[in-house]
Amino acid sequence: MNEYDSELVRSILKKENYEFVTDERAADIVMLNTCAIREHAHRKVYGRVHTIRHTRGKASPVMIGILGCMATNLRQELFEDRTLKIDFIAGPDSYKRLPQLIREASDEGQKSYDVTLSEFETYSDIYPDAQDRANPSTASRVNAWIAVMRGCNNFCTFCVVPYTRGRERSRSPENVVDEVRRLSAEGFKQVTLLGQNVNSYRHDDYDFAYLMDEVSKVEGIERIRFTSPHPKDFPDRFLDLMASNPKICKHIHLPLQAGNNRILDMMNRTYTKEEFLTLVEKVRAKIPNVALTTDIIVGFPTETDEEFEDTLQVVKKAQFDSAFNFKYSERQGTVASKKYPDDVPEAIKTERIMCLNEVQKEITYQKNRAHIGEIQSVLLEPYPEAKNTNQMPGRTDGGKLVILPLGPYKGGDLVKVRITDATPHALKGQPV
Ligand code: 5AD
Ligand code: SF4
């Protein structure tokens, strides 16, 4: 979402004649689009601002702006920290005001900010062009992100997103399809529909299944992905559409978060482990080759060894293709931070995440090995020019990385590939 939001920002500022440079040292203004989801992301931003200030020094001053979720959450802290010297701050719903905020900060020398959250802003009138979207190092036109909804109403107790990004709101299906048509005309082969809660998409009477179906009718777009859904919104109609529509990739990122019912309840996830596993079974029955991935948090307040053991059991049963595992990190303003002291010691969190990573790594390895011998359709990613390599990366329909030898093909091509080998991290293949 932040990558996409940065594309929106490029688009908004380019209209005001700002020029974008890829070399930070050549910039008059540096903006960091920040994430507040975990402590790690937070610390990275502080580190980065200090590095920029240090390398530029007094001889070559630079304006620094903080965008995104940290802006919403930490406006005061960011401005008060004198070592950071932040010039302006814009939250996720304030990017259209950036030209004004920058003017205020540079012409009038004042610190400027806007972190107001909106119930309506979807940036539906801003279409980043191919250049705004291009990853500058690859000039890629393979995948384009599109946020179809923004915000979250779920209030999982550990999560800061409802506070930093505000309430759910969706773009109209016509508006999304219009953008997808443009992307197709610009040569993009894949679109990834984004939302903090993407399958809660709702515009008037139109739901996410309707939207996906409409998007899949756009000619030239060969693959459609989406992220991230919540397990509560998977009606049969949507799963049946996924199963029958060849353009919709057979991959669902299905965040489990925990495999113990007491913890799930404290997290306000609204499902039990049994319900989650029943959904997994249903998904696999309807979409036989589906790839399932997940997010898991270890060390939520009061989680015992036995309760963590339940998470391991669910992971073994669900057989995810891969998982992002995180240590619980208390976030300011969340229900958990007010109600539940962060009482699982860091050493226990580390022990649990290492154990979980180990179990998942073996499952991922077995899942990857099961593809050996298959013929898969692989969408090639741009050749990584920066890295001088004789390999070409691509993705299977299920989203797995495949490494191919260089050949007479380029980024954006869909090629048939025989999977010849697998590691816990990637597949290897030969075009057929
Ligand atoms: N601590 C640790 N992980 C978190 N996530 C969200 N909030 C927290 C937190 N406070 C994880 C969840 C979510 C993913 C994007 O980040 O697993 O699905
Ligand atoms: Fe956060 Fe839960 Fe909303 Fe996902 S669904 S963004 S974890 S509050």
Side-chain angles (χ1 to χ4, degrees):
M1 186 65 99
N2 270 7
E3 259 183 57
Y4 171 77
D5 279 359
S6 296
E7 293 166 2
L8 291 174
V9 168
R10 276 204 279 272
S11 184
I12 290 166
L13 289 177
K14 245 179 37 188
K15 286 200 191 84
E16 300 274 323
N17 296 320
Y18 284 91
E19 188 192 335
F20 279 80
V21 291
T22 45
D23 183 356
E24 195 172 285
R25 287 166 303 181
D28 300 313
I29 307 174
V30 175
M31 282 170 274
L32 302 183
N33 197 354
T34 63
C35 173
I37 198 116
R38 288 176 296 274
E39 181 68 22
H40 176 64
H42 182 126
R43 251 183 281 143
K44 249 163 80 177
V45 174
Y46 276 85
R48 194 70 191 281
V49 173
H50 281 299
T51 311
I52 296 168
R53 286 275 176 236
H54 182 75
T55 45
R56 295 289 288 252
K58 285 210 172 67
S60 158
V62 62
M63 280 177 74
I64 297 185
I66 300 289
L67 319 183
C69 288
M70 261 181 75
T72 328
N73 225 27
L74 297 176
R75 175 174 64 83
Q76 209 156 356
E77 182 180 321
L78 287 167
F79 272 153
E80 276 172 7
D81 189 325
R82 286 170 180 272
T83 60
L84 291 175
K85 297 201 204 84
I86 302 300
D87 296 285
F88 61 96
I89 290 181
D93 290 342
S94 309
Y95 298 147
K96 286 183 190 160
R97 285 204 58 219
L98 268 171
Q100 191 186 336
L101 294 172
I102 295 173
R103 260 192 306 275
E104 283 169 20
S106 62
D107 298 352
E108 293 151 38
Q110 11 166 301
K111 295 193 180 301
S112 59
Y113 65 89
D114 186 350
V115 293
T116 323
L117 291 175
S118 157
E119 304 234 341
F120 306 103
E121 184 61 88
T122 57
Y123 298 103
S124 59
D125 52 336
I126 302 194
Y127 291 173
D129 65 23
Q131 239 183 340
D132 301 329
R133 293 187 188 263
N135 171 344
S137 62
T138 56
S140 133
R141 289 196 190 187
V142 181
N143 173 71
W145 312 107
I146 304 188
V148 298
M149 61 84 67
R150 301 174 77 88
C152 180
N153 295 349
N154 287 339
F155 290 92
C156 301
T157 57
F158 53 80
C159 183
V160 80
V161 166
Y163 308 92
T164 58
R165 285 190 172 260
R167 297 292 68 74
E168 288 177 10
R169 60 223 110 115
S170 299
R171 287 166 64 172
S172 76
E174 304 83 62
N175 177 256
V176 172
V177 168
D178 200 34
E179 181 160 0
V180 175
R181 283 207 193 98
R182 287 197 196 198
L183 290 166
S184 169
E186 286 176 334
F188 287 92
K189 294 287 178 269
Q190 171 178 291
V191 290
T192 305
L193 306 192
L194 299 177
Q196 269 74 44
N197 228 316
V198 74
N199 53 340
S200 313
Y201 172 91
R202 183 122 213 132
H203 192 272
D204 297 335
D205 288 336
Y206 302 116
D207 65 359
F208 191 56
Y210 176 86
L211 180 73
M212 289 287 273
D213 198 26
E214 288 301 298
V215 167
S216 75
K217 292 175 191 160
V218 176
E219 265 178 55
I221 295 296
E222 310 203 35
R223 282 185 169 181
I224 305 159
R225 299 186 180 281
F226 60 97
T227 200
S228 276
H230 189 289
K232 75 183 165 65
D233 285 317
F234 277 101
D236 285 357
R237 197 166 92 79
F238 177 71
L239 294 176
D240 292 337
L241 174 77
M242 255 191 100
S244 63
N245 189 318
K247 283 195 189 173
I248 302 179
C249 290
K250 309 295 175 262
H251 171 207
I252 303 182
H253 184 67
L254 200 61
L256 166 67
Q257 310 299 5
N260 170 271
N261 289 343
R262 189 183 72 89
I263 299 294
L264 283 169
D265 186 45
M266 284 173 77
M267 287 177 161
N268 190 30
R269 287 295 289 178
T270 71
Y271 51 81
T272 61
K273 71 172 178 193
E274 291 81 9
E275 284 162 347
F276 186 92
L277 285 168
T278 304
L279 175 63
V280 167
E281 259 174 48
K282 183 158 97 178
V283 169
R284 289 202 196 281
K286 283 189 182 283
I287 316 168
N289 294 323
V290 72
L292 290 180
T293 56
T294 200
D295 291 342
I296 295 170
I297 297 175
V298 301
F300 187 81
T302 72
E303 183 187 65
T304 65
D305 284 342
E306 291 72 35
E307 288 167 334
F308 169 65
E309 197 57 44
D310 285 348
T311 298
L312 285 179
Q313 292 308 323
V314 175
V315 164
K316 286 176 188 163
K317 282 193 186 138
Q319 295 280 304
F320 299 112
D321 290 83
S322 66
F324 296 108
N325 302 324
F326 308 107
K327 294 183 202 173
Y328 173 71
S329 156
E330 188 175 272
R331 304 284 77 202
Q332 218 176 308
T334 57
V335 173
S337 74
K338 291 176 192 152
K339 275 172 71 177
Y340 314 125
D342 181 8
D343 61 358
V344 177
E346 183 61 24
I348 303 276
K349 286 182 187 168
T350 304
E351 215 173 86
R352 288 183 189 161
I353 200 167
M354 282 170 62
C355 173
L356 184 58
N357 286 344
E358 214 38 56
V359 168
Q360 183 57 50
K361 188 172 163 190
E362 185 55 32
I363 298 172
T364 300
Y365 185 42
Q366 293 310 328
K367 287 255 165 192
N368 285 355
R369 288 195 60 81
H371 292 297
I372 295 176
E374 285 176 0
I375 308 278
Q376 289 263 357
S377 154
V378 172
L379 181 63
L380 294 182
E381 293 187 347
Y383 173 68
E385 272 167 42
K387 297 180 196 153
N388 198 357
T389 147
N390 52 9
Q391 296 178 328
M392 189 82 185
R395 297 266 165 192
T396 64
D397 188 273
K400 292 190 182 176
L401 179 65
V402 185
I403 304 296
L404 300 181
L406 283 185
Y409 33 69
K410 58 184 187 319
D413 289 351
L414 256 184
V415 291
K416 291 270 178 242
V417 171
R418 182 184 301 282
I419 305 301
T420 54
D421 203 359
T423 71
H425 311 288
L427 309 176
K428 285 190 185 143
Q430 286 288 340
V432 292

